[in-house]
Amino acid sequence: MAIRQIRMRDDEVLRKRCKEVTKFDDKLAVLLDDMYETMMKADGVGLAAPQVGILKRVVVIDVGTGRIELVNPEIIETEGEQDGPEGCLSFPGLFGKVKRPNKVKVKAQDRNGRPFMAEGEELLARAFCHECDHLDGHVFTELVTEYVK
Ligand code: NI
């Protein structure tokens, strides 16, 4: 495993739409492992592939309850609303209030291409939304209503 460089703020790679993953090979496994290591080292709870310069629909999340890997994720259901501070490893030190659904259901594939569903509430729901936005070239600052310290 290796630590990858996290792309910051105005890097144009963060504003591009990512491509679907079609090959579930060793390269994908290495990317997922590297992304997880990079995220943990940076003390984050989520990381999307464009943040390490790879325009593929790949996400890793760990909100303290274990590693979640999402390949080609799609949000299929949302419920309720939460409003709270959000940050991003590509915007160190910046936190802003963002409204998100309180419950989110996602459909994704694992590193072997097997489809599965995952559900999250509160912080995990927020992470699902935030990371899926990255895959479409969107960053959280577009949604911030108020910056917080
Ligand atoms: Ni982010």
Side-chain angles (χ1 to χ4, degrees), residues 6-147:
I6 297 179
R7 304 299 188 91
M8 296 295 166
R9 294 166 182 270
D10 297 327
D11 195 314
E12 63 178 27
V13 81
L14 297 176
R15 271 78 181 178
K16 291 190 171 156
R17 192 173 187 279
C18 297
K19 291 204 167 85
E20 295 271 319
V21 172
T22 53
K23 276 194 216 158
F24 296 84
D25 54 8
D26 287 350
K27 209 175 155 190
L28 175 66
V30 169
L31 174 64
L32 281 159
D33 288 343
D34 286 357
M35 283 174 60
Y36 188 73
E37 198 182 354
T38 303
M39 177 186 82
M40 294 309 273
K41 175 105 189 293
D43 213 16
V45 299
L47 190 71
Q51 293 182 275
V52 292
I54 306 288
L55 289 170
K56 284 186 182 163
R57 305 188 81 79
V58 175
V59 160
V60 294
I61 290 170
D62 191 338
V63 295
T65 52
R67 176 169 172 169
I68 300 172
E69 299 177 347
L70 305 172
V71 179
N72 300 326
E74 224 179 292
I75 292 172
I76 52 167
E77 233 178 274
T78 66
E79 203 187 303
E81 192 182 89
Q82 58 175 318
D83 192 7
E86 193 166 313
C88 178
L89 289 178
S90 296
F91 296 81
L94 194 65
F95 297 92
K97 279 175 84 176
V98 176
K99 279 197 177 91
R100 298 287 191 185
N102 196 49
K103 270 173 111 172
V104 171
K105 197 187 270 186
V106 292
K107 181 178 101 173
Q109 285 166 280
D110 68 13
R111 59 167 67 200
N112 301 306
R114 275 187 289 261
F116 69 97
M117 305 267 254
E119 276 185 65
E121 286 185 41
E122 297 171 8
L123 181 57
L124 184 53
R126 181 176 289 283
F128 284 154
C129 296
H130 178 115
E131 302 312 329
C132 286
D133 279 353
H134 272 301
L135 303 181
D136 291 323
H138 293 297
V139 292
F140 84 110
T141 52
E142 297 167 31
L143 302 172
V144 168
T145 52
E146 185 189 343
Y147 284 99

